[in-house]
Amino acid sequence: MPNVVVIGAQWGDEGKGKIVDWLSAKADIIARFQGGHNAGHTLVVNNITYKLKLLPSGIVRKNKISIIGNGVVIDPWALLDEIKQIEKLGIKITNKNLFIAENAILILPLHRDLDGIREDSKNTDKIGTTRRGIGPAYEDKIGRRGIRVMDLGNKANLSKKIDIILFHHNSIRKGLKKPLVNKKKLMEDLGKISSKILKFSKPVWKKIDEFKKKNKTIVFEGAQGALLDIDHGTYPFVTSSNTVAGAASAGTGCGFDTINYVLSIVKAYTTRVGEGPFPTELKNEVGNKIGRKGKEFGTVTNRKRRCGWFDAVLVKQSCTISGTNGIALTKIDVLDDFEELYICVAYKLNGKKIDYLPSSLQDQLKVRPIYKRFDGWMESTQGVKKWKDLPKKAQKYINFIKNYCGVKISSISTSPKREDTILLVNPFKK
């Protein structure tokens, strides 16, 4: 069966967790390929709610292998705490069902500190990060001073690497008149958890190759959304990794031929957390109503999400960049009692009509949406499991999205529950 990459096609929070969990029923392996514990996935299974941050969504299923790839930055303390919380809900996690890439970068307390220092500084623009150290950890990775999972296994080598990373961070701290990092304490703290992390450590690229040769089915799970991609998102108001489908290969160490299908998760309206451009944002009661009905608060931060009408321009752009084969549309039920709905079909910039979001931040902030109006269906779609049972006006809304974006709608989610999903195209069938 084909291997599937699952990404978000907006600014994240599209409902990837539920879809990956639903897909994992047919898969053998679920691999997370980028991001950190700044992105949360909420699953509702048998009336139990699981809030996942670093653990792949497949971890809640028996007889599945979950992988945290090398493209992920890992806060080891946050991961161990998450494992403890999930195990309290009856899920057993061992080195048989969870693999961590030995070459994945670790997030240290000094990364969280630097994240907060920057966000609080009066000399820098606020990006709206989650202050969890994701960006600084990726910076150290690119700067070739990062601490990797495998480094925890050699105390002498770890000590040398800590010296290198502290030379950089303590120089910054000294300049900002902040307390310097205590190496001894950092080494002791890492020593206490090293064996707990190392037991999951594996050469993930090799494991995936073995699975591939055995014809195992893999779901590659992304975090955040394509519009937060470090290259293709609303820069600089983005995350610190590549979130588009192409990152699945680099973030796990597998060849392009391993990936057969790209599934983009798309919410039936648009939301965004943090700062940055948002052309269809509704700063009024309509936006507030969408937020209330959609329960738009972050899984990780509990921050209120900004809400707006569906932006088809952005979704089409994201799907093009990721080579999307199918769209999984979520939260259609949130729009059930709106008398009228709008979809953005173009922008106006400096008096001209354009059909894409430009790369310039200044232009992104200036674009104005051009809308197409739709009648609301004013009927409940919650829990609907068949296309024919959807209201005709809801079908019209969905079909417009399909035709505008030029991508098939593979499934439609009508509630947070796993079973409330309309399957139109099975991504596992060639």
Side-chain angles (χ1 to χ4, degrees), residues 318-329:
S318 295
C319 288
T320 300
I321 291 169
S322 281
T324 299
N325 301 105
I327 287 174
L329 191 67

Side-chain angles (χ1 to χ4, degrees), residues 376-410:
W377 42 91
M378 301 300 287
E379 299 177 50
S380 176
T381 61
Q382 191 167 35
V384 172
K385 297 178 178 63
K386 294 181 180 180
W387 170 261
K388 67 180 181 63
D389 294 333
L390 285 174
K392 295 299 181 186
K393 291 178 180 178
Q395 293 179 4
K396 181 179 179 181
Y397 183 87
I398 295 167
N399 277 329
F400 182 85
I401 292 172
K402 176 188 72 174
N403 294 331
Y404 182 96
C405 296
V407 179
K408 292 179 180 179
I409 305 293
S410 68

Side-chain angles (χ1 to χ4, degrees), residues 90-336:
I91 304 298
K92 190 168 180 60
I93 300 173
T94 71
N95 60 0
K96 301 297 183 185
N97 67 345
L98 176 64
F99 300 166
I100 300 176
E102 60 184 3
N103 53 337
I105 293 288
L106 296 178
I107 298 173
L108 306 177
L110 55 85
H111 294 126
R112 295 195 300 270
D113 292 345
L114 184 56
D115 218 352
I117 289 168
R118 287 173 173 167
E119 281 294 296
D120 293 334
S121 173
K122 296 179 181 178
N123 298 317
T124 59
D125 290 332
K126 289 186 182 298
I127 299 299
T129 76
T130 57
R131 299 170 179 257
R132 281 164 167 72
I134 312 299
Y138 273 117
E139 287 178 43
D140 283 342
K141 177 179 181 176
I142 300 303
R144 292 165 293 195
R145 55 182 171 266
I147 307 299
R148 303 195 288 180
V149 170
M150 67 178 77
D151 295 329
L152 297 176
N154 186 318
K155 189 173 181 180
N157 185 52
L158 178 62
S159 179
K160 293 177 183 177
K161 289 187 171 250
I162 293 292
D163 285 337
I164 293 171
I165 200 170
L166 289 189
F167 176 76
H168 176 78
H169 281 265
N170 278 339
S171 297
I172 295 174
R173 285 168 171 260
K174 188 175 181 179
L176 294 172
K177 296 181 171 54
K178 300 293 182 180
L180 302 186
V181 177
N182 184 317
K183 178 186 175 181
K184 182 180 178 181
K185 183 178 186 308
L186 179 57
M187 286 290 293
E188 288 175 352
D189 289 345
L190 286 170
K192 291 175 184 176
I193 54 96
S194 60
S195 62
K196 298 176 183 177
I197 295 296
L198 285 170
K199 71 178 183 181
F200 299 110
S201 177
K202 295 280 194 306
V204 158
W205 68 269
K206 192 172 187 299
K207 289 293 180 182
I208 288 180
D209 186 56
E210 291 171 5
F211 294 139
K212 180 181 172 183
K213 289 174 179 175
K214 293 177 181 177
N215 291 319
K216 299 292 185 181
T217 302
I218 307 169
V219 170
F220 296 90
E221 179 181 17
Q224 290 111 0
L227 295 173
L228 292 174
D229 185 276
I230 188 67
D231 290 304
H232 300 288
T234 49
Y235 188 91
F237 299 98
V238 292
T239 193
S240 300
S241 60
N242 287 112
T243 59
V244 295
S249 180
T252 56
C254 70
F256 294 133
D257 63 342
T258 306
I259 298 165
N260 312 107
Y261 191 97
V262 176
L263 181 66
S264 287
I265 316 302
V266 176
K267 195 180 291 186
Y269 48 95
T270 311
T271 64
R272 175 165 201 167
V273 173
E275 308 298 324
F278 186 170
T280 64
E281 182 175 11
L282 296 168
K283 298 180 180 179
N284 54 25
E285 180 50 34
V286 175
N288 291 335
K289 181 179 176 181
I290 291 173
R292 287 194 305 272
K293 289 185 63 62
K295 298 179 181 178
E296 295 297 347
F297 296 91
T299 299
V300 173
T301 62
N302 203 37
R303 286 188 295 180
K304 183 180 178 182
R305 296 172 186 145
R306 300 154 64 190
C307 298
W309 295 124
F310 188 88
D311 193 330
V313 178
L314 287 182
V315 171
K316 182 177 182 179
Q317 188 165 324
S318 295
C319 288
T320 300
I321 291 169
S322 281
T324 299
N325 301 105
I327 287 174
L329 191 67
T330 64
K331 290 199 167 186
I332 193 72
D333 54 301
V334 173
L335 303 179
D336 283 350

